[in-house]
Amino acid sequence: MQRLFFALLIVLTTALASPAMAEPDQQRQNDLLHLLKHDCGSCHGMRLEGGLGPALKPEKLQHWDAKQLAVTILYGRPGTPMPPWRPFLSEEEAIWLANQLKQGVQP
Ligand code: HEC
């Protein structure tokens, strides 16, 4: 299961590798930050300092690039409580969120 997941991670990361991806507009960015605080925050902490899920602070996320994080956000981590957000988020939105996390957003 774990090995399959990492194979999938690589395939999906490559699929997301389009450099000219548009950012979500301002209204959608506000919605995404709201989601980050209230939905992601329910597991990762309202200040993203960790809870049921790990802290999502830049220093903790250094070893992942934004696309890898976006894949985790979109598809979850099978076998853990991290759920897939694909039904609610586009790839662009997941990458935008991942970049916000890597830059140290405080929702
Ligand atoms: C039901 C609880 C839960 C919710 C809600 C949740 N997560 Fe998670 N998340 C987890 C857990 C648990 C892990 C750790 C998985 C593991 O062990 O690899 C995780 C892992 C992650 C990781 C990888 C962190 C790392 O250091 O490897 C990211 C990024 C992440 N979540 C982002 C999000 C975002 C963004 C949202 C909201 C859109 C979200 N999560 C919502 C439980 C949750």
Side-chain angles (χ1 to χ4, degrees), residues 35-36 39-40 42-44 52-56 60-61 63-64 69 72-73 77 80-83 85 89 97 101:
L35 176 93
L36 189 60
D39 294 76
C40 316
S42 65
C43 284
H44 291 280
L52 172 63
L56 298 178
K60 299 274 186 185
L61 300 174
H63 51 287
W64 299 110
L69 292 174
T72 293
I73 295 169
R77 289 261 169 91
T80 81
M82 174 62 189
W85 294 88
L89 298 175
L97 270 178
L101 293 173

Side-chain angles (χ1 to χ4, degrees), residues 17-46:
S18 146
M21 234 172 212
E23 282 203 340
D25 66 25
Q26 189 61 52
Q27 174 59 43
R28 186 60 181 157
Q29 290 186 9
N30 292 341
D31 293 347
L32 292 172
L33 292 176
H34 185 87
L35 176 93
L36 189 60
K37 181 166 193 159
H38 296 280
D39 294 76
C40 316
S42 65
C43 284
H44 291 280
M46 292 266 272

